[in-house]
Amino acid sequence: MASVNGLAYLGFEVSRMDAWHALLTDVLGFAAAGTDPDGTRAYRMDENARRVILRQGPSDDVAFMGWQVDSRPALDEMAARLGSAGIAVARGTASEAAARAVEAFIAFSDPDGIRVELCASPKLGAEPFRPSAIASGFVTGDQGMGHVLIGAAARERSERFYRDLLGLKLTDYVETVRAGRPLNATFLHANPRHHSIALAEGAMAKKLHHFMMEVRAIDDVGQAFDRCQDAGVPIVRTIGRHENDQMISFYAATPSGFAFEVGWGGRRIDDRTWKPTLWHKASEWGHRAPAAS
C-alpha cells in the first residue's frame, strides 16, 4: 500500500516577509532559492530545491504541508484511496508544481482544514547546498525535512485520517499537564524519524504549533539558541530534552507567532521492534518558559 515517506516542504502565509527572510537565512542558515513572479519566496535547507515557501498574506499560519510519496503511480494510488473515502482531491497545476519544485502533486484538506499536499519527485537545487549558520547541516534525506505539530479538534479522528489514508504509523502518545493546561498528543512516523507529525488536542492560536529542524551536531543547537537571543527572536522554551523522542532542543517564535524547534539527537524508530508507549511527561529536563525580564 502506498504511503507518505516524509515531510517534503512547508508553505506559510506570512505578513512580515523580510523578518522571515532574516530568520531563515541569518539565524537558521537556510539559503534563499528564488522569488516567483507573484512574490512567493522559497528557501533551501539541503540539496532539495525548495523546503520552505513563503507567500504574502494576513493569516500568519501554515498554508500547506507537502508530503512525499515514492512515485507518480503511488501518487495516483493515494488519490484514488482518498477519493474512495470521500475526500475531495485536486491535482496541482504545472505552475503550482513548479512553485513547489516537484514533478506533480495532489491537494486536499485534513479533518481540521489544513491543506495537505502529496508530491512526487522533488527537484534538487541547481547548486550544491552549503550550510551557513548551521555548520553541521540538517538531518533530512530519507527522514524528510523534519516534523510538525498541529492542532486537532478531535485527536482520534485526525489519527485515523493520517494513519488509514496517508499510511503514517503510530509512534506513541503523550498525556500530561503543562503550564496548568492539559497536553494530549499523538505522535506518528513516516520513516525512522521518531515522528514526522504530532497531533495535539485542544484549542491553539494557530493551526500550526511548531515545525522542527534537526541538526547534526549538538553545538549547533546551542549556537542557534545564542543567535536567536542576539537577534531578538523570542525564546518560547529553553533548551531541554524530550522524554519520548529524546531530542535535545529549544523553541523560539517565528515572525508569524507560531514556533520553530531546533534539535539534535532524536530517537530513531525500527518498526520491527518498536512498541508504542504512553508517556506522562513532555520533557525529562529543561524546555522551560523563559523567565520574565
Side-chain angles (χ1 to χ4, degrees), residues 44-58:
R44 299 175 63 189
M45 63 186 296
D46 62 1
E47 297 304 321
N48 280 33
R50 295 189 166 190
R51 286 294 198 180
V52 168
I53 300 165
L54 305 180
R55 71 185 188 199
Q56 189 76 37

Side-chain angles (χ1 to χ4, degrees), residues 28-238:
L28 297 178
F30 282 47
T35 301
D36 295 339
D38 64 356
T40 295
R41 297 186 189 181
Y43 296 85
R44 299 175 63 189
M45 63 186 296
D46 62 1
E47 297 304 321
N48 280 33
R50 295 189 166 190
R51 286 294 198 180
V52 168
I53 300 165
L54 305 180
R55 71 185 188 199
Q56 189 76 37
S59 73
D60 276 318
D61 209 338
V62 63
F64 48 85
M65 301 188 299
W67 297 85
Q68 186 173 345
V69 300
D70 287 334
S71 63
R72 283 292 290 270
L75 191 65
D76 293 338
E77 180 184 331
M78 298 286 280
R81 184 189 310 154
L82 289 158
S84 297
I87 306 297
V89 177
R91 297 270 178 178
T93 66
S95 61
E96 289 172 331
R100 290 148 177 79
V102 300
E103 178 186 343
F105 75 93
I106 60 174
F108 48 93
S109 294
D110 82 350
D112 291 282
I114 297 175
R115 179 180 169 101
V116 178
E117 299 180 355
L118 307 184
C119 70
S121 303
K123 298 177 181 178
L124 301 180
E127 302 290 337
F129 178 76
R130 294 180 176 85
S132 55
I134 301 294
S136 67
F138 297 98
V139 178
T140 56
D142 63 359
Q143 297 183 58
M145 67 173 286
H147 77 234
V148 291
L149 187 150
I150 62 173
R155 188 162 51 115
E156 291 183 0
R157 178 187 65 178
S158 293
E159 179 183 335
R160 289 194 300 271
F161 177 88
Y162 281 97
R163 291 179 66 182
D164 296 348
L165 296 181
L166 302 192
L168 282 91
K169 299 174 182 178
L170 177 64
T171 303
D172 52 31
Y173 300 101
V174 170
E175 296 182 358
T176 188
V177 175
R178 188 173 221 174
R181 299 177 60 185
L183 172 61
N184 300 317
T186 300
F187 295 78
L188 305 174
H189 63 277
N191 51 56
R193 191 186 293 279
H194 176 273
H195 61 282
S196 294
I197 189 169
L199 312 167
E201 199 163 42
M204 296 198 316
K206 307 280 184 178
K207 294 178 180 178
L208 178 70
H209 179 272
H210 74 266
F211 66 102
M212 187 283 302
M213 301 146 287
E214 185 174 2
V215 296
R216 297 184 180 276
I218 192 169
D219 283 350
D220 277 320
V221 176
Q223 290 166 8
F225 187 75
D226 286 352
R227 283 196 301 277
C228 284
Q229 294 176 93
D230 292 343
V233 177
I235 301 298
V236 176
R237 293 280 172 183
T238 60

